[in-house]
Amino acid sequence: MMHGIRLFKWIVLGMGIILGGCLPLFIQNLYYIHILIMVFYYTFIALGWRLIMSIGYVNFGFPGFIAVGSYAAAMLVTRGDLSFWLAMPLAGIIGGAIGLIVGYPLLRIKATYFFIATFSFVGVIEGILYYWEGFTGGWAGIKGIPRPNPIDLFGIVAVKFSGKIQFYYLILGLMVLALLILHKIEKSKTGKVIIAIKDSNNLAMSVGINITAYKLVVFAGSCFIAAIGGAFFASYNTMITPNIFDFNLGVQILIIVMFGGVDILLGPLVGAFMLITISELIRFSPHWHLVIWGSTLIGVMLFMRKGVIHGILEIISRARGGRPVEK
Amino acid sequence: MASDILAPVLINALIMSIIYMLMASGLTLVFGVLHLINFAHGELYMLGGYGLWLLSQVLGVNYFLSLFLAMTGTAIMGVIIDRSFFIHLRGQILESFILALGISLLLQGFALLVFGSEERGIKASITDRVNIFGVSVLAERIIAVIAGIGVMIAMMWFVHRTRLGQAMLATEQNREAAALQGINVNNMCSLAMAVGGALAGLGGGLISTMMFVTPGVGTIPLMKAFIIIIIGGLGNIPGAVLGGIVIGFIDCMGAIFLGGPLAYLIGFVFIMVLLIFRPKGFFGHDVS
């Protein structure tokens, strides 16, 4: 039975990857490719948000870390003349390192204080980006960020980043990689420790778990994902300004995570798909954005607290007369 | 620096302090009683500004009467929000916090749909100037200071001296024990939301003669109020008062001497340093 479920999971995963890989063959319209890129990009960064949320913390400073990665990569590429393939991991490491520095004092306090303190972090990063004009470009940001260098695999395969398709595969690859690694972590002992810390700090501490170290590492990991996502965005968008990474971006990621459900690894994918689709549908009536996002968040919190996937599973199981879904 | 430049700056700093104080003490009271970080608090502030604009500019009601009515309106709004939303997620800090964020977005969205995104200014009805220590200052600013301090004192008196206020404090200290004494916890939560809403609405109304009202106007004071209640301690009203003065003055002085964005940085660095060296806050409350 166990093997059956595992096999089933791998089949679903394989089919998902093949579907994702083949999609551009059927979709010729570049507009839809762009939307899919945005879905995967948002899924990727939402996975980072979910990582720290899985330990019981909501990091509203998250857009700040995406900005750090974005600006780091952009500067390394434009001023340092580094290859994008080197700049992206470096940006991730810079983001993770800043996460360690900021997380060290912040993670020792209660989660309630943590939410509040991280709010101001977005403002701080935005402030630095605006204020330090000579270094960051101020309001205008950084323009003309080059596309990634062509990949040349021993002269056999040569990939040139000439259009959207290559970016599509890049972000799809990043997302699948992140999903696989996070899945591995969740199933490992570390994953169990994370759940233990979320459920009860004191209990986890009493059995000898160094909760501060775990929290710090998870926080830095989440910031690493944010920064990698930011680096991708910088290269894809070719220009970045401080106001891209404002508080609203954090709200959008939160909606994605809550909509899909924090407990489910694929939740962010479902949430991102919903958010991006609706955003595109109401693109021409910007006044309605806030009302729709607000009511989505309220609806999810009041009626489907564990996310829509969980909610639907529960409705199905109730209709069958079975017992409620455990996980 | 000459005193005729310094005096208006000090008056502005004082007004900002009072606005922050009103915001932060309501926020901290709501946190104490409901165990909720009320993200929609900034929208009550915004609605206070719009309420005043609607009454005094569109309908032509007397300034003070409209200020009072706007305050009442936001207090009722607070109760409505509590009764229709927060009541379902009592005591769940993270969940109710995200819910509050949703309410904040919804209210901002409605304000955008109803009032539009234009800036709404309110003309001061009192344009006299008064002389204070040889410096002429707009009278409406003095009135704002007096009104703010007066309402703060009235609120303190209500919370600490009346039966109802004491019942609310009892709920804050221990919910179960308060319920056992026959205190209706849900009513106390709504009461706290009403008081918080009134204070936020007053803050939004007082500032609207000096700054424009827009749907997103509540965000920055809310952020400042968050910083203040960390400094003063969640649920600690005197702490919020002191924190309001500190941040209000840092803000005004910082904005003049260092520029706006840097003033924001100072607030954050202040928190970080505070949390590193004194994780229990200024007043020894437990945050770790």
Side-chain angles (χ1 to χ4, degrees):
Chain A
M1 188 57 198
M2 194 58 216
H3 283 284
I5 290 176
R6 195 178 283 172
L7 191 67
F8 177 70
K9 268 188 183 166
W10 283 110
I11 290 173
V12 168
L13 182 73
M15 273 165 55
I17 293 175
I18 292 169
L19 180 71
C22 293
L23 224 47
L25 299 178
F26 308 114
I27 301 170
Q28 302 297 331
N29 191 336
L30 283 180
Y31 171 64
Y32 291 120
I33 295 285
H34 167 73
I35 289 177
L36 283 172
I37 291 174
M38 286 334 273
V39 169
F40 294 153
Y41 163 67
Y42 272 90
T43 309
F44 183 77
I45 50 179
L47 283 169
W49 179 292
R50 180 183 166 275
L51 183 61
I52 187 68
M53 212 168 166
S54 67
I55 215 160
Y57 284 92
V58 177
N59 175 14
F60 274 98
F62 203 74
F65 290 100
I66 303 174
V68 166
S70 228
Y71 271 83
M75 281 183 206
L76 286 172
V77 172
T78 53
R79 295 201 200 136
D81 274 334
L82 240 62
S83 153
F84 173 76
W85 304 107
L86 204 60
M88 183 160 74
L90 270 179
I93 290 166
I94 293 172
I98 293 182
L100 282 179
I101 297 168
V102 176
Y104 180 72
L106 290 187
L107 286 165
R108 295 187 304 166
I109 50 175
K110 272 183 191 160
T112 324
Y113 282 84
F114 180 86
F115 308 151
I116 301 174
T118 51
F119 281 127
S120 32
F121 185 72
V122 188
V124 168
I125 292 291
E126 250 186 291
I128 292 174
L129 295 180
Y130 282 134
Y131 195 75
W132 202 0
E133 237 174 314
F135 189 56
T136 61
W139 294 92
I142 300 179
K143 286 193 189 69
I145 301 158
R147 290 163 179 273
N149 309 35
I151 313 172
D152 197 7
L153 286 178
F154 316 112
I156 311 164
V157 194
V159 182
K160 245 181 105 190
F161 276 73
S162 51
K164 285 199 190 314
I165 300 290
Q166 288 80 11
F167 280 106
Y168 172 86
Y169 284 113
L170 174 61
I171 192 65
L172 178 70
L174 282 175
M175 187 191 77
V176 171
L177 192 67
L179 280 171
L180 286 176
I181 292 173
L182 290 172
H183 180 74
K184 206 84 192 151
I185 292 174
E186 262 176 32
K187 294 293 161 210
S188 71
K189 195 182 149 222
T190 317
K192 306 279 183 284
V193 172
I194 289 174
I195 293 171
I197 293 174
K198 187 191 183 181
D199 287 348
S200 168
N201 266 331
N202 294 341
L203 192 64
M205 224 181 321
S206 71
V207 293
I209 295 170
N210 184 350
I211 57 168
T212 313
Y214 266 97
K215 280 180 190 171
L216 204 54
V217 170
V218 169
F219 186 73
S222 140
C223 298
F224 177 82
I225 295 180
I228 294 276
F232 168 82
F233 184 81
S235 180
Y236 176 63
N237 207 39
T238 69
M239 66 163 291
I240 45 176
T241 54
N243 61 355
I244 293 175
F245 310 102
D246 60 359
F247 177 69
N248 287 331
L249 179 63
V251 173
Q252 285 181 334
I253 304 172
L254 178 69
I255 293 172
I256 289 176
V257 173
M258 294 319 293
F259 187 85
V262 186
D263 297 334
I264 302 166
L265 189 60
L266 282 176
L269 186 60
V270 176
F273 199 79
M274 179 281 309
L275 183 109
I276 301 293
T277 315
I278 295 182
S279 300
E280 289 302 319
L281 288 177
I282 58 174
R283 191 160 38 129
F284 299 112
S285 40
H287 277 39
W288 282 93
H289 270 238
L290 288 170
V291 173
I292 289 173
W293 297 144
S295 26
T296 310
L297 209 48
I298 294 172
V300 168
M301 289 323 287
L302 287 184
F303 304 113
M304 287 186 176
R305 221 162 301 159
K306 287 184 169 181
V308 167
I309 302 177
H310 200 282
I312 291 172
L313 287 178
E314 195 139 272
I315 290 169
I316 293 173
S317 115
R318 217 178 280 159
R320 280 181 172 174
R323 59 198 171 84
V325 186
E326 284 294 324
K327 169 117 192 183
Chain B
M1 188 181 279
S3 68
D4 55 330
I5 302 173
L6 197 60
V9 173
L10 282 177
I11 289 283
N12 274 348
L14 194 59
I15 290 175
M16 281 329 282
S17 302
I18 283 165
I19 301 291
Y20 290 162
M21 229 187 256
L22 290 169
M23 281 293 279
S25 51
L27 199 62
T28 209
L29 179 73
V30 167
F31 180 83
V33 178
L34 279 84
H35 299 294
L36 159 80
I37 305 171
N38 185 11
F39 212 92
H41 207 73
E43 275 52 56
L44 294 170
Y45 171 95
M46 175 264 292
L47 288 176
Y50 272 119
L52 188 65
W53 172 76
L54 202 64
L55 289 164
S56 69
Q57 300 304 116
V58 180
L59 302 175
V61 182
N62 171 282
Y63 176 76
F64 293 100
L65 184 61
S66 19
L67 200 58
F68 178 74
L69 288 176
M71 233 174 107
T72 319
T74 49
I76 294 170
M77 196 66 204
V79 175
I80 293 174
I81 292 174
D82 182 58
R83 285 286 148 158
S84 40
F85 297 113
F86 293 149
I87 200 166
H88 303 292
L89 292 176
R90 280 271 187 272
Q92 292 160 288
I93 291 188
L94 181 60
E95 284 82 359
S96 56
F97 168 58
I98 296 172
L99 179 68
L101 183 57
I103 295 165
S104 152
L105 295 178
L106 189 66
L107 288 177
Q108 264 190 47
F110 277 139
L112 200 60
L113 287 176
V114 174
F115 300 109
S117 53
E118 305 96 271
E119 295 176 329
R120 307 288 188 187
I122 293 166
K123 271 195 246 91
S125 52
I126 309 130
T127 46
D128 307 323
R129 287 178 161 271
V130 259
N131 251 341
I132 297 177
F133 306 123
V135 183
S136 113
V137 182
L138 276 174
E140 50 143 354
R141 312 222 154 177
I142 306 296
I143 290 169
V145 171
I146 294 170
I149 294 177
V151 170
M152 281 298 294
I153 293 172
M155 191 271 286
M156 295 282 220
W157 173 81
F158 170 74
V159 171
H160 292 284
R161 290 280 174 268
T162 62
R163 263 186 90 79
L164 209 55
Q166 298 221 314
M168 193 161 69
L169 279 191
T171 316
E172 181 176 344
Q173 279 164 9
N174 190 330
R175 198 174 277 199
E176 284 76 29
L180 284 174
Q181 292 296 316
I183 295 170
N184 185 333
V185 172
N186 271 335
N187 283 353
M188 289 306 126
C189 289
S190 295
L191 181 65
M193 279 295 287
V195 174
L199 293 178
L202 178 71
L206 285 180
I207 199 78
S208 61
T209 52
M210 295 160 228
M211 290 176 184
F212 289 115
V213 186
T214 57
V217 77
T219 314
I220 289 172
L222 182 74
M223 298 291 159
K224 300 287 180 189
F226 278 145
I227 294 178
I228 291 163
I229 62 177
I230 288 192
I231 295 172
L234 286 179
N236 187 337
I237 295 174
V241 172
L242 193 68
I245 296 173
V246 171
I247 293 294
F249 273 82
I250 286 184
D251 241 36
C252 269
M253 298 302 169
I256 285 160
F257 296 115
L258 303 166
L262 215 59
Y264 207 100
L265 277 180
I266 294 174
F268 183 75
V269 171
F270 198 67
I271 287 189
M272 292 287 277
V273 172
L274 185 73
L275 292 177
I276 293 170
F277 294 107
R278 209 174 148 67
K280 293 206 161 188
F282 273 161
F283 297 92
H285 57 281
D286 180 31
V287 299
S288 54

